[in-house]
Amino acid sequence: MPHAPPCIALFLFAGGALAWACSKETSDTTGVTAPHQGWFREITAVSGLDFVQSSGSTGRHYLPETSAGGVALFDSENDGDLDLYLLNGAVLSPDPVEEEGRQNRFYRQTSPLFFEDHTAASGLGDRGYGMGAAIGDIDNDGDRDLLVTNFGPDRLYVNDGTGSFSERSAGITTRGFSSSAAFFDYDRDGFLDLYVGVYVEFDPEKPCFDSTGNSEYCGPSAFPPVADALFHNRDGVFEDVSVEAGLHAATGAALGVLCADLDEDGWQDVYVANDGYVNRLWNNQHDGTFVDEALFQGVALNMNGQPEAGMGVIAADFDGDLRLDLFVTHLREETNTLYLNQGSGVGFVDSSGQLGVGAASIPYTGFGTVAVDFDHDQDLDIAVANGSVLRGKRRSNVQLADPWALYAEPNLLFINGGQGRFYEASELASEFCELPEISRGLAAGDLDGDGDMDLLLGNIEGPARLFENVLATKDPRHPKGHWLQVRCLHPEWKRDAIGARVIVRCGDVRTLRTIGGGSSYLSFQPSVAHFGLGQAERVDEIIVHWPDGLVERFAGMDADRRVELVHGTGENE
Amino acid sequence: MTSSRKKARRLERKARREKEKAQIASQRAGETAQPQVDRPKHGWLVVVAAAVAIGGWSYFQDPAKPDADGVAVPGEAPAIPAPPPADMTVPVRRMIREARAAVEQDPTSPRTWGQLGEVFDAHHLFDDAAICYREACRLSRGSAPDEFRWSYLLATVLNSAGGSSAEEIFALFARAMALEPDYPPGHVRQGDAFVRQGKNAQARSAFERAIALDPDFAMAHRNLGQVLLADGEIEAAISHLEAAARYDTSDSVVHASLARAFRLNGQEARAQEAADKASSFAPVFGVPDPIRFSVEALAVDPLTLNDRIDERMGGGDIAGALGDLELLEESFPDDANVLERIGVMRFKAGSKDAALTTFERALKLDEHLHESHLHLAAIYDEKKNFDKALEHYSHVAEEEPKNPSLHVRIAYLLLAQDKIELAVESFERAFQHGLDDAELHHNWGAALDRIDRTEEAVGHFEKVLEVEPENGGTHFNLGMALERLGRNARAIEHYDKAAALAPNLPAARRAAALRAGG
């Protein structure tokens, strides 16, 4: 079918919201024309970021090669801006071969939107087969430490407070095929514990083929499933408590991990997206143990009662009812799935079809995903990083060489039209969405401090890319939506209150966001609650549900600012 | 079918088509509730005008125009999808080439196009499959059975692969099911397509139509139950899920859904019971759909072949399994394991000579193939080629030195070659590695007796009789051994027992001779 011009394509795909965008385009008489298309401008080339992920492939189709590609956005030295950490592969022979020059890379933001490679100085040049990263202050000393999940032994890097890290075992014993991980405090003792998702028991001797007989990457079912690992943190030293916590008997192929208080009982639960197996919802029993409630809560399977190939995960309030819903990205021919939280006693309902996130995702394999109010209109939009795990059709504008070109897919952007009804609107973010690559990790954060959320994208066998959100600030055709960023700090713990639920009220509109707890795929994004406020110039109040159970109300304030709320300084609810 | 019934059916189909078109139109209208954003007042006018102008332009540019039902129909025959690339396996390439050649020979036949589509479809080449099915649909207009098949397959492919408009998928299913309204799996697939797009009400109707046609259709009950569950109609959901569980008791998906339904209904014990069942069964995927099965059966890629070989083996279909294995050999001519599997299959089918050749080829590629050595040894044993049999057993024994049954087999072969002392050593090895049964001791004893280690032989025969006191043959052998040692009284005793237990042995004669002082 011939391509219709963007305007009509937008109309056909997304209806009114996009029609509005088109009308803006056509009625522009300001003469200010950005060289980019839409909401994001790629700034990789001018940012100093020059990382290109290497899968280490030798043509043998070892599964880790197509599963990696994590990224992290975090402030390494508490200077208020975000730094970048990119995970790299290694040659598999079939065990990872650690080589000079092939390592994870760390980039420090030295001036706004400009990054310098500080890998050597930071001590973060891990040479294992890098999968993902999780970040948290494990020793409550006020800085962020970093866990690298590997195909091979995972490694913990402890921050000395200046952005210089040293490797420490600290009791983390996972050494198989780890995927996503998240720090969270499941027993409310003030120290961040750790959940590590483990993929499969990989066997390099296992050959697999595609549907025409070509050698191809295996799916998870080719290998034995495995159990994940839970580590309890006692004063900065971890102990594997998977057995005691009740996790050991439940095997799967974990790829996406998030920790959040999904049942609003004040205790952190864990949701795990398994690739081809039932997902797990580890419900916190308040006594150090967890019970899998996924089946009963409606989040183990899709609406047809079938397990899907779960990759990336998000827990966020998509429909504005102050309950955390779940979004999971999936394999081509499956839909990305949005489980809408119906409240206690009912659980979740797969509402992907009704809410518009299902059909558009069927041709693609989704991995990293973020839920962010990109346009500051008070609801969460969704970006999805796509890239196949099986060779497919060659797309027209692919830049990768063979065979990788056949795995490349474009990314997706879904705009929330209110009440969680989404419209696929990738045309509005063409720089982020159009170029087919093998995208995996995805993280959102305010890189330039302008209040809106930018994106860091990780690719397999391709460059990591930075996208600046230019919608709200640089485009004079768009009325600037107001915003607020909230950090929640616990003075005793000297760190972000991971797991806090933050509710902002503007008039009658209440908006829920959470602090940290992991999400996306192999990736980490800053522990800040970001609110788009629309035309509201002021918030009326902020309510924080702290992870230790305390609920506090903070006074209203003007919009367009970053605010730090300190535990114990609000008014008790 | 009488003409009046046909007419009634036609009218019913027409009415259903109209109804579904109306439903789709109303859905489209309902979907135009759009995101709440600030829009300039004239925005819609600009966009609608642009949509009309450019949509019209696109229509005339695009050879695939939607017909009255909303199905994109090519204006002219499309190019036949390209020949298969060299990196596909030989059987897949051959199958595509043959189906392409049929289209080239008869490009106006819906069947040749459809069959090429099926070959692509079977190998998950959905884009090419859709091109072919679409053309088959166009060419088969007015020929109901054909048109149904190609419309239906096109609908299933587009629904699986994504990238097509929901409206077109719905229209295709609607057309297909109007042409063949009595096909329950089609209604279930149509329902699944509605579910995927969030059209629960339409999905429910489709599942209900399937159940009306086939009240025992487990998957129709299951899928209807799931939609009811999602819609919060818990009692009705339980009713259909329980029906599904009655008709297919071992589908974990049904029990998983029941677990949730019972929980929501406050029936905690039943919820837990269903959850336990869910974890003890495997999920059932895919609609039991003969049309789709006939397409999937065309697949000759290695993964499918391997699955099918296992299935055929499980069902005792040796000839079928062998045929698929031979396709696998074409795919991987240098794969020793495939050759070995073919050899085993030929052996089971009784083609021992063909098996022998296959095993020999396999061992040239990989000399460590256990099954090949074992089967070759057995074949050579049967052919009385004891040297070759021994060679292959010995090869396996080197790799499995602790396998006692191998040592016993070797011992027998050595006995057959009159290499008695070596045979005795093999019996000893078998014993060292845990074999301690009557048969071993009987044969071991007999071998020892043959090389005049009679005293030891007696010990082995006595061991046999400890566990098998009624073994006539061993009594006889023991009698012989004792006679040779001059212990005639005991020998007579055992000859007598042997004579009673195994009258065909010359035990009575030997006993009489001894009694007579012979």
Side-chain angles (χ1 to χ4, degrees), chain A residues 192-213:
Chain A
L192 290 175
D193 310 303
L194 174 66
Y195 190 99
V196 180
V198 187
Y199 192 28
V200 291
E201 195 179 314
F202 173 65
D203 173 5
E205 299 298 318
K206 175 88 183 175
C208 288
F209 307 95
D210 69 11
S211 54
T212 62

PDB file of all heavy atoms in Angstrom, chain A residues 192-213:
ATOM      1  N   LEU A 192      17.532  -1.978  51.690  1.00  0.00           N
ATOM      2  CA  LEU A 192      16.996  -2.425  50.410  1.00  0.00           C
ATOM      3  C   LEU A 192      17.397  -3.864  50.130  1.00  0.00           C
ATOM      4  O   LEU A 192      18.591  -4.189  50.049  1.00  0.00           O
ATOM      5  CB  LEU A 192      17.499  -1.528  49.277  1.00  0.00           C
ATOM      6  CG  LEU A 192      16.926  -0.111  49.257  1.00  0.00           C
ATOM      7  CD1 LEU A 192      17.583   0.719  48.160  1.00  0.00           C
ATOM      8  CD2 LEU A 192      15.413  -0.133  49.084  1.00  0.00           C
ATOM      9  N   ASP A 193      16.413  -4.712  50.007  1.00  0.00           N
ATOM     10  CA  ASP A 193      16.631  -6.108  49.636  1.00  0.00           C
ATOM     11  C   ASP A 193      16.681  -6.188  48.105  1.00  0.00           C
ATOM     12  O   ASP A 193      16.509  -5.182  47.422  1.00  0.00           O
ATOM     13  CB  ASP A 193      15.509  -6.962  50.226  1.00  0.00           C
ATOM     14  CG  ASP A 193      15.323  -6.652  51.712  1.00  0.00           C
ATOM     15  OD1 ASP A 193      16.302  -6.797  52.461  1.00  0.00           O
ATOM     16  OD2 ASP A 193      14.215  -6.197  52.104  1.00  0.00           O
ATOM     17  N   LEU A 194      16.885  -7.374  47.604  1.00  0.00           N
ATOM     18  CA  LEU A 194      17.112  -7.496  46.163  1.00  0.00           C
ATOM     19  C   LEU A 194      16.383  -8.701  45.595  1.00  0.00           C
ATOM     20  O   LEU A 194      16.499  -9.814  46.110  1.00  0.00           O
ATOM     21  CB  LEU A 194      18.624  -7.659  45.904  1.00  0.00           C
ATOM     22  CG  LEU A 194      19.051  -7.945  44.466  1.00  0.00           C
ATOM     23  CD1 LEU A 194      18.749  -6.754  43.564  1.00  0.00           C
ATOM     24  CD2 LEU A 194      20.541  -8.262  44.418  1.00  0.00           C
ATOM     25  N   TYR A 195      15.635  -8.469  44.511  1.00  0.00           N
ATOM     26  CA  TYR A 195      15.007  -9.571  43.773  1.00  0.00           C
ATOM     27  C   TYR A 195      15.719  -9.675  42.426  1.00  0.00           C
ATOM     28  O   TYR A 195      15.850  -8.689  41.703  1.00  0.00           O
ATOM     29  CB  TYR A 195      13.517  -9.293  43.554  1.00  0.00           C
ATOM     30  CG  TYR A 195      12.766 -10.492  43.008  1.00  0.00           C
ATOM     31  CD1 TYR A 195      12.031 -11.316  43.857  1.00  0.00           C
ATOM     32  CD2 TYR A 195      12.802 -10.816  41.655  1.00  0.00           C
ATOM     33  CE1 TYR A 195      11.350 -12.425  43.376  1.00  0.00           C
ATOM     34  CE2 TYR A 195      12.127 -11.927  41.167  1.00  0.00           C
ATOM     35  CZ  TYR A 195      11.400 -12.729  42.041  1.00  0.00           C
ATOM     36  OH  TYR A 195      10.738 -13.836  41.553  1.00  0.00           O
ATOM     37  N   VAL A 196      16.194 -10.866  42.107  1.00  0.00           N
ATOM     38  CA  VAL A 196      16.874 -11.086  40.822  1.00  0.00           C
ATOM     39  C   VAL A 196      16.059 -12.091  40.000  1.00  0.00           C
ATOM     40  O   VAL A 196      15.859 -13.231  40.425  1.00  0.00           O
ATOM     41  CB  VAL A 196      18.305 -11.622  41.027  1.00  0.00           C
ATOM     42  CG1 VAL A 196      18.990 -11.835  39.668  1.00  0.00           C
ATOM     43  CG2 VAL A 196      19.123 -10.670  41.887  1.00  0.00           C
ATOM     44  N   GLY A 197      15.601 -11.641  38.864  1.00  0.00           N
ATOM     45  CA  GLY A 197      14.920 -12.550  37.935  1.00  0.00           C
ATOM     46  C   GLY A 197      15.964 -13.394  37.215  1.00  0.00           C
ATOM     47  O   GLY A 197      17.009 -12.886  36.807  1.00  0.00           O
ATOM     48  N   VAL A 198      15.689 -14.675  37.102  1.00  0.00           N
ATOM     49  CA  VAL A 198      16.636 -15.563  36.413  1.00  0.00           C
ATOM     50  C   VAL A 198      15.901 -16.178  35.225  1.00  0.00           C
ATOM     51  O   VAL A 198      14.767 -16.643  35.351  1.00  0.00           O
ATOM     52  CB  VAL A 198      17.161 -16.664  37.363  1.00  0.00           C
ATOM     53  CG1 VAL A 198      18.275 -17.460  36.676  1.00  0.00           C
ATOM     54  CG2 VAL A 198      17.695 -16.048  38.655  1.00  0.00           C
ATOM     55  N   TYR A 199      16.570 -16.190  34.076  1.00  0.00           N
ATOM     56  CA  TYR A 199      15.884 -16.547  32.830  1.00  0.00           C
ATOM     57  C   TYR A 199      15.741 -18.066  32.717  1.00  0.00           C
ATOM     58  O   TYR A 199      14.730 -18.615  33.133  1.00  0.00           O
ATOM     59  CB  TYR A 199      16.635 -15.923  31.663  1.00  0.00           C
ATOM     60  CG  TYR A 199      15.890 -15.955  30.342  1.00  0.00           C
ATOM     61  CD1 TYR A 199      14.507 -15.958  30.282  1.00  0.00           C
ATOM     62  CD2 TYR A 199      16.587 -15.948  29.138  1.00  0.00           C
ATOM     63  CE1 TYR A 199      13.831 -15.980  29.068  1.00  0.00           C
ATOM     64  CE2 TYR A 199      15.929 -15.963  27.914  1.00  0.00           C
ATOM     65  CZ  TYR A 199      14.547 -15.989  27.885  1.00  0.00           C
ATOM     66  OH  TYR A 199      13.890 -16.022  26.684  1.00  0.00           O
ATOM     67  N   VAL A 200      16.716 -18.749  32.173  1.00  0.00           N
ATOM     68  CA  VAL A 200      16.603 -20.204  31.989  1.00  0.00           C
ATOM     69  C   VAL A 200      17.961 -20.846  32.256  1.00  0.00           C
ATOM     70  O   VAL A 200      18.961 -20.156  32.425  1.00  0.00           O
ATOM     71  CB  VAL A 200      16.178 -20.562  30.538  1.00  0.00           C
ATOM     72  CG1 VAL A 200      14.760 -20.144  30.251  1.00  0.00           C
ATOM     73  CG2 VAL A 200      17.149 -19.968  29.519  1.00  0.00           C
ATOM     74  N   GLU A 201      17.953 -22.161  32.280  1.00  0.00           N
ATOM     75  CA  GLU A 201      19.220 -22.892  32.405  1.00  0.00           C
ATOM     76  C   GLU A 201      19.728 -23.132  30.987  1.00  0.00           C
ATOM     77  O   GLU A 201      19.409 -24.139  30.348  1.00  0.00           O
ATOM     78  CB  GLU A 201      18.967 -24.215  33.137  1.00  0.00           C
ATOM     79  CG  GLU A 201      20.212 -24.875  33.642  1.00  0.00           C
ATOM     80  CD  GLU A 201      19.850 -26.157  34.376  1.00  0.00           C
ATOM     81  OE1 GLU A 201      18.917 -26.128  35.204  1.00  0.00           O
ATOM     82  OE2 GLU A 201      20.494 -27.174  34.090  1.00  0.00           O
ATOM     83  N   PHE A 202      20.516 -22.199  30.505  1.00  0.00           N
ATOM     84  CA  PHE A 202      20.918 -22.192  29.096  1.00  0.00           C
ATOM     85  C   PHE A 202      21.886 -23.341  28.794  1.00  0.00           C
ATOM     86  O   PHE A 202      22.817 -23.600  29.547  1.00  0.00           O
ATOM     87  CB  PHE A 202      21.585 -20.850  28.783  1.00  0.00           C
ATOM     88  CG  PHE A 202      22.193 -20.776  27.414  1.00  0.00           C
ATOM     89  CD1 PHE A 202      21.389 -20.850  26.284  1.00  0.00           C
ATOM     90  CD2 PHE A 202      23.558 -20.625  27.247  1.00  0.00           C
ATOM     91  CE1 PHE A 202      21.944 -20.785  25.031  1.00  0.00           C
ATOM     92  CE2 PHE A 202      24.120 -20.559  25.991  1.00  0.00           C
ATOM     93  CZ  PHE A 202      23.306 -20.639  24.878  1.00  0.00           C
ATOM     94  N   ASP A 203      21.639 -24.015  27.690  1.00  0.00           N
ATOM     95  CA  ASP A 203      22.526 -25.097  27.243  1.00  0.00           C
ATOM     96  C   ASP A 203      23.055 -24.726  25.857  1.00  0.00           C
ATOM     97  O   ASP A 203      22.299 -24.731  24.882  1.00  0.00           O
ATOM     98  CB  ASP A 203      21.730 -26.409  27.181  1.00  0.00           C
ATOM     99  CG  ASP A 203      22.539 -27.539  26.555  1.00  0.00           C
ATOM    100  OD1 ASP A 203      23.736 -27.339  26.269  1.00  0.00           O
ATOM    101  OD2 ASP A 203      21.968 -28.625  26.350  1.00  0.00           O
ATOM    102  N   PRO A 204      24.331 -24.403  25.747  1.00  0.00           N
ATOM    103  CA  PRO A 204      24.863 -23.944  24.466  1.00  0.00           C
ATOM    104  C   PRO A 204      24.848 -25.015  23.385  1.00  0.00           C
ATOM    105  O   PRO A 204      24.988 -24.710  22.202  1.00  0.00           O
ATOM    106  CB  PRO A 204      26.305 -23.534  24.796  1.00  0.00           C
ATOM    107  CG  PRO A 204      26.635 -24.246  26.044  1.00  0.00           C
ATOM    108  CD  PRO A 204      25.361 -24.420  26.801  1.00  0.00           C
ATOM    109  N   GLU A 205      24.675 -26.262  23.787  1.00  0.00           N
ATOM    110  CA  GLU A 205      24.685 -27.345  22.806  1.00  0.00           C
ATOM    111  C   GLU A 205      23.334 -27.525  22.115  1.00  0.00           C
ATOM    112  O   GLU A 205      23.215 -28.284  21.162  1.00  0.00           O
ATOM    113  CB  GLU A 205      25.052 -28.675  23.489  1.00  0.00           C
ATOM    114  CG  GLU A 205      26.429 -28.682  24.122  1.00  0.00           C
ATOM    115  CD  GLU A 205      27.522 -28.476  23.086  1.00  0.00           C
ATOM    116  OE1 GLU A 205      27.427 -29.074  21.998  1.00  0.00           O
ATOM    117  OE2 GLU A 205      28.439 -27.683  23.350  1.00  0.00           O
ATOM    118  N   LYS A 206      22.330 -26.856  22.627  1.00  0.00           N
ATOM    119  CA  LYS A 206      20.976 -27.076  22.098  1.00  0.00           C
ATOM    120  C   LYS A 206      20.796 -26.306  20.786  1.00  0.00           C
ATOM    121  O   LYS A 206      20.841 -25.083  20.768  1.00  0.00           O
ATOM    122  CB  LYS A 206      19.966 -26.590  23.140  1.00  0.00           C
ATOM    123  CG  LYS A 206      18.539 -26.637  22.697  1.00  0.00           C
ATOM    124  CD  LYS A 206      17.934 -27.953  22.998  1.00  0.00           C
ATOM    125  CE  LYS A 206      16.503 -28.036  22.492  1.00  0.00           C
ATOM    126  NZ  LYS A 206      15.922 -29.325  22.662  1.00  0.00           N
ATOM    127  N   PRO A 207      20.563 -27.010  19.679  1.00  0.00           N
ATOM    128  CA  PRO A 207      20.337 -26.286  18.421  1.00  0.00           C
ATOM    129  C   PRO A 207      18.853 -25.946  18.247  1.00  0.00           C
ATOM    130  O   PRO A 207      17.993 -26.697  18.681  1.00  0.00           O
ATOM    131  CB  PRO A 207      20.782 -27.294  17.361  1.00  0.00           C
ATOM    132  CG  PRO A 207      20.490 -28.624  17.969  1.00  0.00           C
ATOM    133  CD  PRO A 207      20.565 -28.472  19.472  1.00  0.00           C
ATOM    134  N   CYS A 208      18.579 -24.820  17.628  1.00  0.00           N
ATOM    135  CA  CYS A 208      17.188 -24.470  17.337  1.00  0.00           C
ATOM    136  C   CYS A 208      17.089 -23.930  15.921  1.00  0.00           C
ATOM    137  O   CYS A 208      18.088 -23.498  15.343  1.00  0.00           O
ATOM    138  CB  CYS A 208      16.679 -23.422  18.334  1.00  0.00           C
ATOM    139  SG  CYS A 208      16.428 -24.126  19.977  1.00  0.00           S
ATOM    140  N   PHE A 209      15.884 -23.957  15.397  1.00  0.00           N
ATOM    141  CA  PHE A 209      15.662 -23.587  13.999  1.00  0.00           C
ATOM    142  C   PHE A 209      14.395 -22.743  13.893  1.00  0.00           C
ATOM    143  O   PHE A 209      13.500 -22.859  14.711  1.00  0.00           O
ATOM    144  CB  PHE A 209      15.498 -24.849  13.149  1.00  0.00           C
ATOM    145  CG  PHE A 209      16.630 -25.809  13.320  1.00  0.00           C
ATOM    146  CD1 PHE A 209      16.535 -26.859  14.222  1.00  0.00           C
ATOM    147  CD2 PHE A 209      17.803 -25.632  12.620  1.00  0.00           C
ATOM    148  CE1 PHE A 209      17.596 -27.727  14.422  1.00  0.00           C
ATOM    149  CE2 PHE A 209      18.869 -26.497  12.802  1.00  0.00           C
ATOM    150  CZ  PHE A 209      18.769 -27.551  13.706  1.00  0.00           C
ATOM    151  N   ASP A 210      14.370 -21.942  12.828  1.00  0.00           N
ATOM    152  CA  ASP A 210      13.137 -21.195  12.594  1.00  0.00           C
ATOM    153  C   ASP A 210      12.166 -22.040  11.760  1.00  0.00           C
ATOM    154  O   ASP A 210      12.443 -23.212  11.480  1.00  0.00           O
ATOM    155  CB  ASP A 210      13.429 -19.832  11.950  1.00  0.00           C
ATOM    156  CG  ASP A 210      13.927 -19.954  10.510  1.00  0.00           C
ATOM    157  OD1 ASP A 210      13.854 -21.064   9.932  1.00  0.00           O
ATOM    158  OD2 ASP A 210      14.371 -18.928   9.967  1.00  0.00           O
ATOM    159  N   SER A 211      11.078 -21.437  11.360  1.00  0.00           N
ATOM    160  CA  SER A 211      10.016 -22.218  10.708  1.00  0.00           C
ATOM    161  C   SER A 211      10.349 -22.574   9.271  1.00  0.00           C
ATOM    162  O   SER A 211       9.541 -23.204   8.599  1.00  0.00           O
ATOM    163  CB  SER A 211       8.708 -21.445  10.777  1.00  0.00           C
ATOM    164  OG  SER A 211       8.909 -20.162  10.231  1.00  0.00           O
ATOM    165  N   THR A 212      11.519 -22.146   8.772  1.00  0.00           N
ATOM    166  CA  THR A 212      11.917 -22.620   7.448  1.00  0.00           C
ATOM    167  C   THR A 212      13.183 -23.461   7.539  1.00  0.00           C
ATOM    168  O   THR A 212      13.780 -23.785   6.517  1.00  0.00           O
ATOM    169  CB  THR A 212      12.168 -21.450   6.481  1.00  0.00           C
ATOM    170  OG1 THR A 212      13.254 -20.660   6.990  1.00  0.00           O
ATOM    171  CG2 THR A 212      10.940 -20.596   6.324  1.00  0.00           C
ATOM    172  N   GLY A 213      13.593 -23.769   8.753  1.00  0.00           N
ATOM    173  CA  GLY A 213      14.718 -24.679   8.922  1.00  0.00           C
ATOM    174  C   GLY A 213      16.056 -24.010   9.135  1.00  0.00           C
ATOM    175  O   GLY A 213      17.072 -24.687   9.275  1.00  0.00           O
TER     176      GLY A 213
END
